[in-house]
Amino acid sequence: MAEQPYIGRKEKAPDRVAFVSGRAHFSSDFAFEGQLHAHIIRSPHAAAKIRSVDLSGALKVSGVKIAIDGAGAAEHLDPIPHHIDPIVFGGRTTDLFCLAQDHTRYFGEPVAVVVATDKRTAQYAASRVVVDYEPTASVTDADLALKDDAPLVVLGWDDNSIMQVPFCGGDAEAAFKDADHIVKTQVRVHRQATQPIETRTYNAIWDEGGQSITLYASAQNPHPMRFALAKTLRMPENRLRVIAPSMGGAFGLKMHSHPEEALICLLAKLTKGAVKWTENREECLLIGGREQTHDIEFALREDGRILAIRDHFLANAGAPGATPGWGMAFLTGLTMPGPYDVGNLDVWANIVVTNKPPWSACRGFGKEITALALELCMDKAARELGLDPVEIRNRNFISSNDFPKKTATGLIYDSGDYAGALAKTVESIGYYDVKRNQEKWRGEGKYIGVGLGYEVTPEGGALPGTMVAGYDTSTVKVDPGGSVTILTGVTDPGGGNRIGIAQIVADELGVAIEAIRVLQGDTQTCPYGFGNYSGRSLIVGGGSAALAAQDIKEKIVKVAAALMEVEEGSIKIYRGVVTSSAKPESELSFNEVCYAAYTRAYDVAACIEQPLEATRTFKPGLISHLPDEQGKINPYPSYSNAAYAAVCEIDPGTGVVKLLKFAVTHDCGKAINPVLVEGQACGAVAFGIGGMMGEEIVFDEGGRQKTRNFEDYVMPRAADVPEIVMKHHDSPNPVTFMGLKGAGEAGVGGSAAAVVNAVNDALAHLGVEINDLPVTAPRIWSAIQKAQSAQKAAES
Amino acid sequence: MSEIHEILEETAFLQCKVNGVSFEEEIHPSMSLLDLLREELKLTGTHMGCMTGHCGACTVSVDGRIIKSCITPAASVQRKKVITIEGLAGADDSLHPVQEAFCEASGFQCGYCAPGMVFSTVELLNEHPDPSDAQIRKALTGNLCRCTGYQSIVRSVRQAANQKTASGDHSE
């Protein structure tokens, strides 16, 4: 085992100065010679026939280079390949195009596009495009979309369901019959959106000589995006290069198969120039997710042990889209029953299409909704059975002795100590202090509550037959001068995984971290890779870079041993200094050995094959795509998990919630860099808090989206988030490099559940329970009013 | 046949200083200061996040006060001094103490909001050299961050304040 001066340390980003001085380059910062700008015309209707599109007014504007509509684009473009085609999972599919043709299925659907010499001209010219729409009946509510007389979102389908899929195991029906108690609730999760502060940009440059396109893109998955672009553009992948520069946050939004990607490439090809499009915030807010309604029931024994869970849920996935959005609802079902040891499951997902804009991936990828549904029902069970919320969870957690644990849906959890993590969070938040003082505070008119949430987040996923792969690849190169370059297939969405990968390689090679440069996000220079999603980047990016570094280290050790005339086993490399226990008096620098490796290939370095470069793939174990006897697979190698707790105070006069405290205990396996882990965890907590307290995408009766900017979509600001008390509770994963579990995705659902449970705890004395989310002030206020008038009525 | 549209041809003469360099040119009267900085002057460290003044990624300093450049017409900075993130460092490229603190305390993840956060911190520390946590969080209220949960940003501001207090430097 190499010595580890860097792993586990709070190492800082080597390029940090660029980010605080304005020198880092994001996709929208690039401008090329003759740069053109695109403006997209979008549907103002949730559903309409498109009778005609008249581009002539736009084409007359001086400075306009091209304007096309759906029919024009279809001459050059094939349908966009689905990131995850529902048909692979037995669902319904449909062809999806970059621009709508005969009809539009959602408000904001791209209908036409104008390209001009500058943004203002493009925007002005776009206003002169005349589209003749004939609005048709639309449906935005998932319940209504399933009625017999509902308008069909996709013409030709029998109904509005992508698929109905069971996640069942054991004998739930018998368990419900035998139960002492049945606890039911409806958890309604509203539509939310990821909203990185950097929106998407695509800037495509046509090269006439090479008949090729270079695309600068806010792209989490450059290689798979290139595959999709090639299909849509009818070009081979080797004529396309995707470059993903620094990314200003992604959270799933920048996974590929958005309609604008191939469209902008086509426009570059047709104008033989450089065409850029930057999404505005209103456009970005169209892309949503998370909207689900769960009718969840627990069958319980007297002592609070859960015998079975039934949950038939509806997901409102919006109109069909080619991004992987719809798959989130599948994962919600698959992740049941979370951290709990419940073998009898009757869970059904009905994934419904409506005339809302399509879902795209949202951090948590559906697994956060599993946590919300389970944790809200768990607190209801605690209230109804008169049990403490800590106690009822402890009675149902999978025991730390039971790993690896196969769940009723076929997942195989690698490791964990859920009760241990919860105990740490309970201590951090001062849980029993709140419980002890709650009555006294209520007497003083203060409504203070404490809530818990637990989340198990499968990470590093691999779905068979899709571009969601479980493995990834890195190349490590060491130059004659001793500098180290890592080229990796995983991208950095902005969380800083490049720092963690550099730490791992620095320790494997025994060099100073300053000698290392990590390059990511370029299909021409990086090995084929799948990019960033599913908390995978350090598991597979770090794991593959470690393997490649080990290969190179072996060569360097051989050369060093030859140079020093000692046994290989006596060589040690530490922070760039090579020593041998056989000759303690002499030492070499790492750089000298590298120089010899390249320049003395016929004497001392004859023992190795030059150059000092290696490409390796890390393919984590535990993933199983061979169905078991019940037809179930395990698509994940790793199951990170965490315990969350919130303390809130509610102003009874206004319903305004103030979060007083927040605590997390996180199990991401080995923490390569505690600052990165803290950053991921705290960021996810802010997502959970924001999602429950302010963020909500709403539509009018005609299906037009009303949420258009950050005044409507209220994300948490610095004063809304309390200091988060963060603890680690590592239980290493036996099948990944160094026991990594992934730290990027967990936390949205557990923290959201903690907030809602804290609100309901604060209001418990009034008999108020709000599981219809979000828990915004108006909802809380009216629930308090209702409860108080009911109390008064009862008293009089 | 392409038509010339007068609305696109209008101009206004703007004279201002950006990071100490004079700017004197005809611009479109509706151009935002953000577009002037990014598109005309190629100062891409000022970022577009919303174009409605809500996110603060475009924050710059005009005559010593921070503003949101996306909702500030470029024509309104007539004869004023604009400082962007590229101009905040010293002439010798040494970082401003607030930039230094954001580096040292890892005050950003993706870094897209960082320039705006730095400007809001500079203004806060000019007014309150030793701010309370509540003052820090209030001062950052105009700047959205989606990555950090604000934890590391608040820590960076605190570090900047500590350095400032320790060095006795109360000037900008």
Side-chain angles (χ1 to χ4, degrees):
Chain A
M1 187 93 185
E3 284 198 53
Q4 299 187 330
Y6 292 108
I7 288 174
R9 263 180 39 146
K10 297 179 174 179
E11 201 58 41
K12 294 167 201 138
D15 48 0
R16 56 193 178 276
V17 171
F19 287 92
V20 299
S21 58
R23 289 180 208 133
H25 293 299
F26 297 88
S27 293
S28 61
D29 296 343
F30 293 86
F32 299 93
E33 203 181 335
Q35 181 73 61
L36 301 173
H37 298 266
H39 191 96
I40 294 171
I41 293 112
R42 292 172 183 275
S43 168
H45 301 290
K49 276 188 191 152
I50 299 173
R51 289 206 199 100
S52 67
V53 180
D54 181 359
L55 302 165
S56 60
L59 287 166
K60 280 182 196 154
V61 177
S62 172
V64 168
K65 297 293 174 187
I66 192 173
I68 57 171
D69 61 4
E75 288 175 25
H76 307 278
L77 298 175
D78 282 338
I80 310 165
H82 288 257
H83 197 128
I84 305 173
D85 197 332
I87 212 162
V88 175
F89 296 83
R92 286 201 181 100
T93 192
T94 185
D95 281 347
L96 296 161
F97 295 89
C98 293
L99 293 175
Q101 292 173 47
D102 305 319
H103 60 277
T104 170
R105 291 183 185 135
Y106 61 92
F107 174 83
E109 182 168 10
V111 171
V113 62
V114 176
V115 175
T117 46
D118 62 281
K119 284 195 300 186
R120 189 177 305 106
T121 304
Q123 186 177 2
Y124 174 73
S127 73
R128 295 170 55 90
V129 171
V130 181
V131 186
D132 184 10
Y133 295 100
E134 180 186 326
T136 55
S138 64
V139 61
T140 49
D141 180 280
D143 280 307
L144 296 180
L146 292 175
K147 301 265 189 230
D148 288 341
D149 58 349
L152 285 176
V153 175
V154 183
L155 303 175
W157 285 14
D158 298 335
D159 59 41
N160 287 321
S161 179
I162 297 176
M163 68 172 79
Q164 291 185 58
V165 50
F167 300 93
C168 297
D171 188 349
E173 201 179 329
F176 270 91
K177 271 191 199 135
D178 293 345
D180 297 320
H181 297 276
I182 293 175
V183 173
K184 294 184 194 190
T185 190
Q186 187 180 68
V187 177
R188 291 180 74 94
V189 187
H190 55 295
R191 186 173 169 110
Q192 298 159 56
T194 52
Q195 303 307 310
I197 308 302
E198 181 211 28
T199 59
R200 292 178 299 136
T201 286
Y202 306 118
N203 193 350
I205 306 108
W206 173 254
D207 173 19
E208 183 70 12
Q211 293 285 297
S212 61
I213 292 171
T214 300
L215 177 69
Y216 285 77
S218 333
Q220 285 174 256
N221 327 97
H223 278 101
M225 177 192 257
R226 188 183 63 166
F227 168 81
L229 289 173
K231 289 271 180 212
T232 311
L233 290 159
R234 305 170 189 159
M235 287 171 70
E237 282 166 87
N238 61 15
R239 301 271 166 187
L240 288 159
R241 178 182 185 182
V242 178
I243 298 174
S246 292
M247 236 178 293
F251 316 117
L253 177 80
K254 294 164 185 173
M255 293 181 80
H256 67 84
S257 285
H258 291 280
E260 298 88 354
E261 299 159 5
L263 182 65
I264 298 304
C265 290
L266 172 67
L267 296 168
K269 193 175 175 182
L270 295 177
T271 58
K272 300 190 192 299
V275 178
K276 177 168 161 178
W277 172 76
T278 295
E279 181 180 48
N280 65 36
R281 186 55 64 186
E282 188 174 340
E283 291 172 315
C284 192
L285 278 160
L286 293 170
I287 302 167
R290 308 207 203 281
E291 184 176 354
Q292 296 187 14
T293 301
H294 288 250
D295 286 299
I296 184 167
E297 305 176 54
F298 288 177
L300 293 129
R301 232 166 40 193
E302 193 62 53
D303 61 0
R305 185 78 180 83
I306 303 167
L307 304 172
I309 294 174
R310 180 175 291 142
D311 181 12
H312 292 191
F313 68 91
L314 283 187
N316 184 341
T323 62
W326 74 271
M328 295 192 283
F330 191 93
L331 266 294
T332 304
L334 192 66
T335 311
M336 289 281 176
Y340 302 111
D341 194 357
V342 180
N344 300 312
L345 273 194
D346 172 15
V347 174
W348 278 81
N350 192 347
I351 309 174
V352 180
V353 288
T354 65
N355 293 105
K356 288 184 178 179
W359 276 9
S360 186
C362 296
R363 181 190 212 165
F365 206 76
K367 299 166 273 192
E368 78 289 3
I369 310 298
T370 318
L372 255 176
L374 287 171
E375 294 302 292
L376 269 46
C377 195
M378 189 65 80
D379 267 32
K380 175 149 191 167
R383 282 191 291 274
E384 290 194 6
L385 271 65
L387 285 169
D388 182 83
V390 176
E391 188 53 38
I392 192 169
R393 284 175 173 80
N394 281 335
R395 287 182 192 177
N396 286 290
F397 279 141
I398 295 166
S399 156
S400 58
N401 301 319
D402 286 352
F403 293 98
K405 168 80 178 176
K406 187 164 185 175
T407 72
T409 66
L411 301 182
I412 303 165
Y413 292 1
D414 59 284
S415 57
D417 175 21
Y418 305 149
L422 182 62
K424 282 189 182 174
T425 294
V426 163
E427 198 202 333
S428 302
I429 202 83
Y431 177 89
Y432 293 108
D433 288 342
V434 178
K435 287 286 180 195
R436 242 191 320 276
N437 290 308
Q438 211 166 21
E439 272 317 304
K440 186 186 80 184
W441 289 328
R442 280 175 184 154
E444 296 163 9
K446 283 186 184 167
Y447 294 6
I448 294 174
V450 59
L452 306 173
Y454 210 96
E455 180 174 339
V456 171
T457 314
E459 301 269 41
L463 299 177
T466 73
M467 280 285 184
V468 180
Y471 63 92
D472 222 298
T473 306
S474 296
T475 299
V476 176
K477 302 180 184 187
V478 181
D479 309 312
S483 75
V484 181
T485 306
I486 304 166
L487 294 149
T488 176
V490 300
T491 51
D492 188 343
N497 61 45
R498 65 190 182 284
I499 313 163
I501 294 171
Q503 286 175 271
I504 289 170
V505 170
D507 283 353
E508 287 296 335
L509 287 177
V511 299
I513 200 162
E514 291 76 17
I516 294 179
R517 188 169 183 210
V518 181
L519 299 176
Q520 298 170 280
D522 184 346
T523 56
Q524 194 136 306
T525 56
C526 295
Y528 199 100
F530 295 87
N532 164 264
Y533 52 87
S534 197
R536 69 197 299 271
S537 298
L538 274 190
I539 299 176
V540 289
S544 59
L547 293 175
Q550 285 164 8
D551 286 2
I552 294 175
K553 170 103 176 258
E554 206 176 293
K555 293 185 186 183
I556 292 172
V557 166
K558 278 186 181 163
V559 175
L563 279 169
M564 295 173 91
E565 297 174 326
V566 295
E567 293 289 319
E568 285 168 32
S570 72
I571 297 285
K572 194 180 146 194
I573 310 178
Y574 184 76
R575 293 216 174 198
V577 179
V578 184
T579 54
S580 164
S581 55
K583 283 192 182 169
E585 70 288 356
S586 58
E587 64 172 47
L588 291 169
S589 76
F590 180 81
N591 303 3
E592 282 175 274
V593 180
C594 294
Y595 186 73
Y598 280 92
T599 58
R600 298 185 61 187
Y602 298 95
D603 57 343
V604 287
C607 52
I608 63 159
E609 184 181 312
Q610 286 72 18
L612 295 177
E613 295 184 8
T615 298
R616 290 291 300 271
T617 294
F618 189 78
K619 223 172 161 177
L622 215 61
I623 293 174
S624 167
H625 285 174
L626 293 173
D628 67 9
E629 60 283 358
Q630 292 173 304
K632 292 167 180 169
I633 62 168
N634 177 41
Y636 289 93
S638 194
Y639 294 82
S640 79
N641 59 90
Y644 302 84
V647 175
C648 76
E649 179 169 5
I650 293 171
D651 180 338
T654 62
V656 169
V657 182
K658 173 93 188 145
L659 283 180
L660 305 176
K661 277 172 139 183
F662 207 99
V664 187
T665 305
H666 193 266
D667 174 5
C668 66
K670 172 84 182 169
I672 298 294
N673 184 330
V675 170
L676 298 185
V677 175
E678 186 203 45
Q680 290 296 319
C682 293
V685 167
F687 259 78
I689 291 173
M692 293 304 105
M693 293 176 61
E695 299 173 30
E696 186 177 18
I697 306 276
V698 292
F699 293 79
D700 71 12
E701 284 173 2
R704 286 168 292 262
Q705 187 164 319
K706 288 163 73 178
T707 311
R708 306 274 178 101
N709 58 41
F710 283 152
E711 194 172 13
D712 305 327
Y713 195 70
V714 186
M715 305 204 302
R717 293 175 183 273
D720 302 322
V721 182
E723 171 86 20
I724 296 160
V725 182
M726 170 94 194
K727 286 181 184 165
H728 296 278
H729 191 69
D730 296 347
S731 60
N733 183 334
V735 302
T736 58
F737 175 75
M738 296 191 62
L740 300 180
K741 284 185 171 175
E745 217 182 357
V748 179
S751 55
V755 169
V756 180
N757 283 337
V759 166
N760 284 333
D761 185 52
L763 302 175
H765 62 294
L766 301 172
V768 167
E769 177 190 271
I770 307 172
N771 291 341
D772 185 1
L773 308 172
V775 284
T776 46
R779 271 171 208 236
I780 293 171
W781 183 82
S782 54
I784 293 172
Q785 293 300 309
K786 220 161 136 188
Q788 284 174 343
S789 24
Q791 261 177 10
K792 271 181 203 152
E795 280 160 17
S796 60
Chain B
M1 202 48 212
S2 64
E3 295 169 6
I4 302 297
H5 291 260
E6 279 177 11
I7 190 169
L8 298 171
E9 297 295 310
E10 288 170 15
T11 61
F13 185 69
L14 173 65
Q15 220 180 1
C16 63
K17 266 194 173 174
V18 179
N19 298 335
V21 179
S22 292
F23 177 88
E24 294 185 10
E25 264 181 57
E26 297 285 346
I27 60 161
H28 193 274
S30 75
M31 174 180 266
S32 66
L33 177 58
L34 174 69
D35 279 351
L36 175 80
L37 297 172
R38 287 184 57 83
E39 317 234 326
E40 303 297 317
L41 299 171
K42 312 293 177 207
L43 293 168
T44 54
T46 305
H47 296 147
M48 191 285 285
C50 65
M51 293 306 283
T52 52
H54 292 109
C55 82
C58 67
T59 306
V60 297
S61 157
V62 174
D63 281 356
R65 297 293 299 184
I66 57 170
I67 55 103
K68 310 270 175 83
S69 66
C70 73
I71 49 167
T72 302
S76 74
V77 300
Q78 201 67 261
R79 286 182 292 283
K80 292 185 176 172
K81 288 181 187 144
V82 180
I83 303 291
T84 71
I85 194 71
E86 291 90 344
L88 196 59
D92 57 347
D93 258 7
S94 61
L95 293 180
H96 185 282
V98 171
Q99 290 172 309
E100 198 81 63
F102 271 72
C103 280
E104 288 313 298
S106 300
F108 62 90
Q109 277 179 43
C110 78
Y112 198 77
C113 72
M117 291 286 181
V118 166
F119 271 108
S120 292
T121 305
V122 169
E123 181 154 293
L124 166 73
L125 298 184
N126 283 342
E127 288 168 8
H128 304 284
D130 187 19
S132 65
D133 271 10
Q135 281 172 324
I136 293 174
R137 287 183 185 269
K138 192 175 166 213
L140 299 178
T141 289
N143 299 77
L144 281 170
C145 168
R146 199 58 163 161
C147 293
T148 61
Y150 303 100
Q151 187 117 329
S152 61
I153 298 176
V154 171
R155 194 161 53 216
S156 300
V157 179
R158 166 68 44 218
Q159 178 150 336
N162 290 346
Q163 281 167 354
K164 198 163 183 171
T165 314
S167 69
D169 170 17
H170 288 190
S171 65
E172 189 178 6

